[in-house]
Amino acid sequence: MLSEKIYKLRKNSGLSQEQLAEKLNVSRQAISKWESGTAVPESEKLVTISNYFGVSVDYLLKDDEEDKGKDTDSIVEEKPKMIAGIIICIAGIVSMVIWGLLSIFSPESSDQMGESSMITIDGNGIFLILCVVAIIVGAGLLLKSKKK
């Protein structure tokens, strides 16, 4: 039921009715009526709700058996995974760019890392591998959060 889904999404996000009302630009009473089932959001507010919580309007409106099996906890938990994926990707890319600039403008620091490495791959290779792994892990998290 729509009212239950709005309630669960709000609760799982840790928001009060007043906080959600502020985010959606409606009154707290409107949220209360939606959650109690005494009123239904207008279509434009349904779109706003679906965008805010990262769910489809279909999910909000349909009472199919497949929707009843969906766990709203897992839907809300996807945002942190997506954010972590973005951060890891960006960190890998930024690290790779910084290392590249250091190698160009300060080759002696690059040589020192290569000489002190206990692994046969020189220091540049190790750092490059770590950057690529960070980018791949971040991209994996992003793709995993988009699939659900």
Side-chain angles (χ1 to χ4, degrees):
M1 227 174 152
L2 175 63
S3 58
E4 293 171 5
K5 290 177 183 179
I6 293 173
Y7 174 80
K8 285 181 182 178
L9 288 167
R10 178 181 64 80
K11 280 298 193 180
N12 290 337
S13 294
L15 298 172
S16 67
Q17 286 184 343
E18 192 168 312
Q19 290 169 322
L20 180 58
E22 197 173 291
K23 304 258 185 220
L24 301 178
N25 204 19
V26 296
S27 68
R28 187 207 53 79
Q29 291 82 2
I31 302 294
S32 177
K33 288 178 182 179
W34 297 345
E35 290 181 355
S36 67
T38 57
V40 177
E42 297 172 359
S43 57
E44 62 192 40
K45 288 302 175 188
L46 281 171
V47 172
T48 305
I49 292 167
S50 74
N51 288 336
Y52 180 78
F53 289 114
V55 297
S56 67
V57 174
D58 258 6
Y59 167 76
L60 291 172
L61 294 176
K62 285 187 177 180
D63 273 342
D64 294 340
E65 290 301 314
E66 65 187 53
D67 283 341
K68 289 180 184 174
K70 285 188 179 180
D71 182 12
T72 55
D73 292 337
S74 64
I75 293 168
V76 173
E77 290 171 4
E78 292 306 316
K79 281 187 180 182
K81 285 182 186 176
M82 189 168 74
I83 292 169
I86 291 169
I87 290 171
I88 292 171
C89 276
I90 291 172
I93 292 168
V94 167
S95 299
M96 195 179 293
V97 168
I98 290 172
W99 187 255
L101 291 172
L102 264 175
S103 296
I104 292 170
F105 295 113
S106 181
E108 61 277 352
S109 63
S110 174
D111 293 339
Q112 284 176 349
M113 187 172 177
E115 291 169 4
S116 66
S117 178
M118 296 178 70
I119 302 173
T120 55
I121 301 174
D122 73 352
N124 292 330
I126 293 169
F127 192 77
L128 180 64
I129 290 170
L130 289 174
C131 290
V132 170
V133 167
I135 293 168
I136 291 170
V137 167
L141 283 172
L142 282 171
L143 291 173
K144 191 173 183 179
S145 68
K146 292 278 184 185
K147 284 183 184 177
K148 295 183 179 180

